[in-house]
Amino acid sequence: MKIRHPQYGVGTVKTIAEHTAQIRFESGERTVSPEAAELQPAEAQASITALEQPLSVLVKNIVESVVDQLGFEKPGATIEELGARWHKGRLVMHPADPALQTKEVPIEVFFHKIVMVRNNLRVLEQKINAHPQLSDSDKVEMQQYITRSYGSMTTFNILFKNKEDQFGG
């Protein structure tokens, strides 16, 4: 947790004992008495039914829970986007050498991987556009790579049930 000390400024609590706290400030680590030092939280705090923790921790836990509940990491969660004609289908890859084994993959597993690539490209695009240290020209250059990646993935648009879920072309 980040705290604000009236003399030393903002620091990060490393350990807490019964009457003292070990805090790392820019000037170094110090052992202080939290009550005597009148420490204040340096981060926004949330209090929910007697739960007190840094707001960033609360938000992170909520986001992780929502992502888990939405099933973004589970192959079954993407099946809704898969066109009905592909349900329970198989992707079969035959090597040119007949002595090598054919590889079969359930289409739902393959589709999940395609959707994850799409979702990761979207997140990357958002992170680039929101990055405070990238110049506009750097953002445009990186955006062009993402656009080309979307273009390379349009082959798989046939698998999507809805056009709005497809890769841009």
Side-chain angles (χ1 to χ4, degrees):
M1 177 177 178
K2 292 192 183 286
I3 56 87
R4 185 175 315 282
H5 187 279
Q7 182 180 353
Y8 305 120
V10 176
T12 303
V13 177
K14 294 299 170 193
T15 60
I16 298 176
E18 189 173 342
H19 299 288
T20 62
Q22 190 73 24
I23 303 171
R24 180 174 294 138
F25 298 98
E26 279 188 26
S27 60
E29 278 196 20
R30 301 205 183 263
T31 302
V32 299
S33 170
E35 290 177 12
E38 299 179 17
L39 299 177
Q40 297 292 319
E43 299 177 301
Q45 298 287 306
S47 179
I48 302 172
T49 60
L51 170 71
E52 284 199 28
Q53 62 185 174
L55 184 58
S56 60
V57 173
L58 176 65
V59 171
K60 180 179 181 263
N61 290 341
I62 290 170
V63 169
E64 287 174 354
S65 175
V66 169
V67 166
D68 185 50
Q69 289 177 15
L70 291 175
F72 285 130
E73 298 300 322
K74 299 173 189 160
T78 60
I79 300 308
E80 288 297 317
E81 295 182 45
L82 182 63
R85 68 182 176 167
W86 303 110
H87 285 240
K88 297 187 182 183
R90 302 194 69 70
L91 175 68
V92 182
M93 295 174 272
H94 298 281
D97 182 349
L100 296 175
Q101 185 175 354
T102 297
K103 175 75 174 175
E104 287 191 35
V105 178
I107 211 85
E108 290 86 356
V109 171
F110 179 73
F111 184 68
H112 172 70
K113 293 179 186 304
I114 297 296
V115 169
M116 293 307 297
V117 168
R118 181 201 64 194
N119 292 348
N120 287 332
L121 283 171
R122 287 177 178 171
V123 170
L124 179 61
E125 187 173 26
Q126 291 169 354
K127 287 185 177 264
I128 288 170
N129 289 332
H131 200 286
Q133 295 175 335
L134 289 174
S135 69
D136 287 344
S137 62
D138 288 339
K139 289 179 183 181
V140 168
E141 182 182 351
M142 290 185 191
Q143 182 64 42
Q144 289 174 349
Y145 286 105
I146 292 173
T147 301
R148 287 184 212 130
S149 297
Y150 278 129
S152 298
M153 301 298 289
T154 58
T155 300
F156 304 111
N157 283 347
I158 192 170
L159 298 172
F160 288 90
K161 177 170 58 174
N162 300 314
K163 189 168 181 64
E164 62 270 9
D165 294 328
Q166 296 178 351
F167 291 94

